[in-house]
Amino acid sequence: MLLNHVAAGFCWVDPPQPDRNHKTRLASSPFRRRLVAPTSAAFHGVRMEKKDRKRRSICTADELHRVVVSNSDWKLALWRYLPSPEAPLRNHPLLLLSGVATNAIGYDLSPESSFARYMSAQGFDTWILEVRGAGLSTIGDSLEEDDECLKNLSEIDSAIRDEIGKSSASPARVMGFKDLGSPEVITKFEEMRLTRRLMDIFTRISENLAGFLNPDLLEGGKNSAIVGQIKDFNRRLRAIIEGQQLFPAQILELQDRFSTTLEEFQKQLQLIVKYDWDFDHYLEEDVPAAMEYIRAQCQPKDGKLLAIGHSMGGILLYAKLSRCYSEGKDSGLASVVTLASSLDYTPSRSSLKLLLPLAKPAQALNIPAIPVGPLLATVYPLASYPPYVLSWLNSQISAQDMMDQKLFEKLVLNNFCTIPAKLLLQLSSAFQEGGLRDRSGTFLYKDHLCKINVPVLAIAGDQDLICPPEAVYETVKLIPEELVTYKVFGELGGPHYAHYDLVGGRLAADELYPCITEFLIQHDML
């Protein structure tokens, strides 16, 4: 059960593929297809994975790109949604930034409720950035292992779906196994492959677990009693598994699934000890790397991008504008839309204050990260089913009747990741006098918004408990009046908009998306 919760917090496996012919609600004029420029030499080592329609995958975009962050081991994931050939040609690509501890899924919940696909249908070459630690972004040399793991998951689940849908094709035949309903066994080669895979995973988990419990063990403690006990456990387990006769096919299928789950857990365990970054890492390294890569791919004539940020994504855009104009630099942004974002939460009663007591104790105890995704997955049944002990959590995400229950469940179980303690500690400065600061505590991001020259559309939800309208306005009032547009969505008698309704609520495509599109088109001029 614990492993399932950890996996759920990391990513969503095998979503339904979007309908490329899904019609948008806005009429569009003829479109001249944008030619995608060849990748520049600077990105020679960056991988781009085109979607295989026969393969189910976590990524529901048209393309999955990965970009290396300079001076780090991170490879960031960029989900790309190609512009519709029926929409007008746009001058600038569009970058979408997600909130804290979330991945790209929130922008593409389903074909009928997809912020990203709506924007691509309007002609925008749309990119979602997954910052370090989120979604499909990877660290070190784990990319090939991740892809192999996802492929195995995909093949198994596709086979099971085929069996359900067509009685003539069994998972065993699709996977190359013999009939799973018979007592027959599969080949010795397949058994050896799975056994070897299982043991390799256990070995990696044990080594990382030892390092997590005591970092010194991996350096000079090879004779440690703890390491010895773990290695002894591995030896005993290997002897038990290798001593078995050929497994029935049903057992090997379970072993394959168990191995895949353990792989995901091992990756999470390996990663959690490396959760050593803060907000400024996103601002100074991840976002610039993504923007440079998108510029190289799309080559806008003026070198600028359009950008939309939800929650922390909008905070990143505000901070980038502030930092650039404090240093006299061009931000590279043609216009910005923020959804439920602020640099200063002090005048509001934001529920994020509930997380503040976790920041300093986590720092004092040297806890590297807080697993928000697994925690939400664990408590979700208590919030959504009788006796509804934690039902108050639902309103933090979506207002009543504003999100389909299945999409709401998908969002909760698959959109959230893990928060590094350093990130939480820096973000907590947004609740202090002066608002959000850099890691040194000397640079206040809100102090320089009065100097910007980029148009901004700031949107708030009337029942947003995380970033209430008064918090949004606290930042809006600092921007030159001729450059900023401020809108609050929601009516006195309903419907209402909570934090995630601004992205995936059932009325967003009718009421909110067109407002954003109109603003972007207005400022898409060269």
Side-chain angles (χ1 to χ4, degrees):
M1 184 64 69
L2 173 61
L3 298 182
N4 289 335
H5 290 326
V6 171
F10 175 64
C11 56
W12 179 54
V13 176
D14 194 28
Q17 293 298 301
D19 181 4
R20 293 293 302 276
N21 298 318
H22 179 64
K23 298 294 184 181
T24 179
R25 292 176 174 81
L26 291 187
S28 53
S29 57
F31 169 78
R32 293 184 293 110
R33 182 178 297 275
R34 183 189 301 273
L35 297 178
V36 179
T39 306
S40 69
F43 299 99
H44 179 69
V46 177
R47 289 184 44 167
M48 188 277 283
E49 304 162 15
K50 288 191 176 180
K51 300 298 298 174
D52 182 352
R53 290 185 176 276
K54 295 182 179 180
R55 175 186 168 191
R56 298 284 185 172
S57 173
I58 292 171
C59 179
T60 52
D62 299 318
E63 298 173 358
L64 174 62
H65 295 243
R66 299 187 190 270
V67 57
V68 176
V69 179
S70 301
N71 302 318
S72 81
D73 295 327
W74 281 99
K75 302 178 184 72
L76 308 181
L78 279 168
W79 297 32
R80 186 183 191 181
Y81 299 78
L82 298 173
S84 168
E86 299 176 356
L89 177 68
R90 307 302 180 191
N91 294 310
H92 301 96
L94 173 62
L95 171 64
L96 305 183
L97 299 177
S98 304
V100 63
T102 59
N103 52 43
I105 289 173
Y107 279 120
D108 192 15
L109 282 172
S110 75
E112 296 76 25
S113 182
S114 174
F115 188 99
R117 291 217 170 267
Y118 185 98
M119 292 303 161
S120 67
Q122 303 308 308
F124 295 103
D125 195 341
T126 304
W127 303 71
I128 308 175
L129 169 63
E130 291 187 316
V131 293
R132 63 186 70 191
L136 299 179
S137 291
T138 57
I139 189 170
D141 298 324
S142 61
L143 180 57
E144 296 296 336
E145 294 179 6
D146 287 350
D147 290 345
E148 181 64 24
C149 178
L150 296 178
K151 182 180 179 182
N152 291 335
L153 273 171
S154 176
E155 289 174 350
I156 293 171
D157 290 343
S158 294
I160 291 174
R161 277 193 311 277
D162 291 342
E163 169 67 8
I164 294 173
K166 297 191 300 180
S167 58
S168 60
S170 72
R173 294 191 185 95
V174 178
M175 294 287 294
F177 292 171
K178 295 185 178 181
D179 189 354
L180 296 182
S182 72
E184 296 180 81
V185 295
I186 65 172
T187 65
K188 181 67 176 177
F189 173 79
E190 187 65 22
E191 179 193 1
M192 291 174 62
R193 182 188 71 81
L194 292 174
T195 299
R196 192 163 52 245
R197 177 184 173 200
L198 186 61
M199 292 311 306
D200 287 345
I201 297 168
F202 268 114
T203 300
R204 293 200 302 270
I205 288 178
S206 63
E207 290 175 351
N208 284 287
L209 182 58
F212 180 69
L213 295 174
N214 186 348
D216 296 332
L217 293 179
L218 293 182
E219 297 180 2
K222 290 187 177 180
N223 295 324
S224 164
I226 297 178
V227 173
Q229 290 171 8
I230 293 175
K231 289 184 176 181
D232 183 62
F233 168 76
N234 276 327
R235 283 194 296 268
R236 290 173 183 268
L237 185 63
R238 185 185 296 273
I240 291 173
I241 294 178
E242 292 180 347
Q244 298 296 317
Q245 300 299 317
L246 288 176
F247 293 108
Q250 299 98 317
I251 299 299
L252 279 179
E253 186 201 9
L254 291 176
Q255 181 182 350
D256 203 22
R257 285 179 171 275
F258 183 56
S259 299
T260 299
T261 303
L262 282 177
E263 280 181 335
E264 291 303 317
F265 177 67
Q266 183 268 331
K267 291 168 188 173
Q268 289 294 296
L269 186 61
Q270 183 180 41
L271 183 59
I272 200 169
V273 299
K274 299 180 180 179
Y275 268 62
D276 188 31
W277 65 86
D278 55 24
F279 178 86
D280 285 352
H281 283 100
Y282 293 153
L283 178 64
E284 298 168 1
E285 298 178 17
D286 293 14
V287 173
M291 290 180 64
E292 184 179 357
Y293 180 80
I294 294 170
R295 276 195 293 265
Q297 290 288 312
C298 302
Q299 295 189 350
K301 292 182 179 179
D302 60 359
K304 295 183 182 295
L305 279 65
L306 304 168
I308 300 174
H310 175 248
S311 196
M312 188 191 69
I315 298 175
L316 281 167
L317 294 176
Y318 281 141
K320 181 170 182 60
L321 292 176
S322 176
R323 176 70 79 177
C324 286
Y325 289 103
S326 72
E327 299 173 354
K329 298 179 180 178
D330 190 331
S331 66
L333 297 169
S335 68
V336 162
V337 178
T338 65
L339 307 172
S341 305
S342 179
L343 293 173
D344 189 348
Y345 288 75
T346 54
S348 73
R349 302 178 62 183
S350 169
S351 59
L352 283 182
K353 292 180 180 179
L354 296 174
L355 290 177
L356 296 185
L358 297 177
K360 292 186 178 179
Q363 182 188 36
L365 295 173
N366 199 28
I367 298 173
I370 299 171
V372 172
L375 287 175
L376 284 176
T378 301
V379 304
Y380 174 73
L382 299 177
S384 301
Y385 299 99
Y388 303 104
V389 178
L390 298 176
S391 60
W392 60 272
L393 287 173
N394 295 337
S395 59
Q396 304 291 319
I397 297 172
S398 177
Q400 187 174 3
D401 299 327
M402 279 297 285
M403 192 173 289
D404 177 82
Q405 182 60 33
K406 290 184 178 179
L407 295 183
F408 181 83
E409 182 171 330
K410 176 182 173 182
L411 181 72
V412 173
L413 297 181
N414 301 286
N415 185 53
F416 296 93
C417 310
T418 296
I419 302 179
K422 285 186 176 180
L423 171 61
L424 183 59
L425 189 66
Q426 185 176 354
L427 289 176
S428 68
S429 66
F431 293 86
Q432 301 169 7
E433 184 178 356
L436 184 69
R437 303 166 183 263
D438 69 350
R439 68 169 63 98
S440 70
T442 58
F443 185 90
L444 276 67
Y445 288 107
K446 62 182 288 187
D447 283 354
H448 302 275
L449 286 182
C450 60
K451 306 173 184 177
I452 71 172
N453 60 2
V454 173
V456 174
L457 169 62
I459 293 177
D462 67 324
Q463 284 193 1
D464 190 338
L465 303 178
I466 293 176
C467 186
E470 57 267 26
V472 176
Y473 183 72
E474 186 68 15
T475 298
V476 166
K477 69 182 185 181
L478 304 173
I479 303 172
E481 186 175 350
E482 66 276 11
L483 291 175
V484 66
T485 304
Y486 171 56
K487 290 184 177 292
V488 179
F489 279 83
E491 303 293 338
L492 185 62
H496 301 289
Y497 284 78
H499 198 63
Y500 284 91
D501 295 327
L502 298 175
V503 176
R506 64 180 177 85
L507 298 179
D510 291 318
E511 299 181 352
L512 193 145
Y513 297 175
C515 172
I516 296 174
T517 303
E518 181 182 357
F519 176 83
L520 293 178
I521 293 173
Q522 180 183 353
H523 299 286
D524 187 46
M525 300 173 293
L526 292 174

